[in-house]
Amino acid sequence: MSELVEIRAIVRREMLDRVVHGLKETGLPRLSVGCVRAIGAGVDPVLASISCEAGSEVIDKAMIQFLCANERSAMFVELIQRTAHTGRRGDGIVWVHPVGDVINIRSGERGLEALA
């Protein structure tokens, strides 16, 4: 198993603050957040709107992504699931990818040291 993993999560925008603060409280050194548009089963029909571009129901969501040590990934996934949960359709999804290597551009450090 890879020493490093990338965790990505798509969550409701109104839950983003809770998720990010929870992750920061664990000491996670860095993460990225962006806006995405969900189409399909991840769309809460109560909040959906019809997109002229997509020709379908869509909802704006947030994507969180970060790298971490594999042994901490289960804890991060559980934290995201717990803090993003509302119990309604379209709460989101989390997935984990193995990472072959990571290099800090400034220092040249590799692996877990590059994340510090």
Side-chain angles (χ1 to χ4, degrees):
M1 185 66 94
S2 174
E3 178 182 344
L4 290 168
V5 295
E6 176 189 27
I7 296 178
R8 290 189 191 191
I10 297 179
V11 301
R12 293 174 180 275
R13 287 177 39 181
E14 65 267 24
M15 303 307 283
L16 181 61
D17 190 57
R18 288 181 56 188
V19 175
V20 169
H21 280 96
L23 290 168
K24 284 181 164 183
E25 287 174 6
T26 69
L28 185 68
R30 61 182 79 190
L31 59 93
S32 299
V33 176
C35 294
V36 296
R37 301 194 98 188
I39 299 172
V43 174
D44 181 344
V46 174
L47 301 174
S49 61
I50 300 294
S51 165
C52 290
E53 296 86 18
S56 179
E57 288 186 327
V58 299
I59 188 165
D60 291 332
K61 297 216 178 180
M63 179 184 281
I64 302 160
Q65 59 189 81
F66 57 92
L67 300 173
C68 67
N70 185 44
E71 64 266 7
R72 297 189 74 199
S73 63
M75 181 262 305
F76 287 129
V77 168
E78 190 277 327
L79 185 148
I80 294 167
Q81 182 182 12
R82 182 173 29 85
T83 56
H85 179 265
T86 69
R88 298 188 324 261
R89 180 176 166 194
D91 272 353
I93 190 168
V94 181
W95 65 100
V96 181
H97 294 279
V99 173
D101 200 3
V102 61
I103 299 93
N104 183 301
I105 293 173
R106 180 186 54 82
S107 68
E109 291 177 307
R110 298 179 86 102
L112 288 172
E113 292 76 30
L115 302 179

